[in-house]
Amino acid sequence: MTLSLVSAVVDHLPSKGQALSRSTRAEVTEMAAKFEMYKDKAGKYRFRLKATNGEIIAVGEAYESETACENGIESVKKNAPTAEIVNQIGAGV
């Protein structure tokens, strides 16, 4: 899911020094996943990442403040593209 989204965006990138066309910007915006921030029943701040089809694909922990929640989102955006995949299925974890 994520790789195909990245590939689709990269395919639409202009050459160095050129701007994205209006239609390409609209297309990329339309297909982009989104982070949603909300307060849970306990009053804690949380976020979820939704795919373009509206499916929740990731959920953050509970944060004490809106700023901390925003920082959590930024951390995911920064670290996820290069994160290692560790398969712990069957590892008894």
Side-chain angles (χ1 to χ4, degrees), residues 40-56:
D40 65 17
K41 291 179 182 177
K44 305 288 184 177
Y45 295 85
R46 294 182 175 268
F47 69 83
R48 59 186 156 233
L49 176 60
K50 283 193 170 182
T52 57
N53 65 0
E55 183 178 339
I56 297 171

Side-chain angles (χ1 to χ4, degrees), residues 46-89:
R46 294 182 175 268
F47 69 83
R48 59 186 156 233
L49 176 60
K50 283 193 170 182
T52 57
N53 65 0
E55 183 178 339
I56 297 171
I57 56 176
V59 178
E61 62 183 89
Y63 295 92
E64 295 294 325
S65 70
E66 187 173 346
T67 300
C69 187
E70 290 170 341
N71 290 340
I73 292 170
E74 289 306 315
S75 178
V76 170
K77 290 167 67 175
K78 175 184 173 189
N79 294 299
T82 59
E84 178 183 3
I85 297 171
V86 179
N87 184 341
Q88 295 183 338
I89 298 170

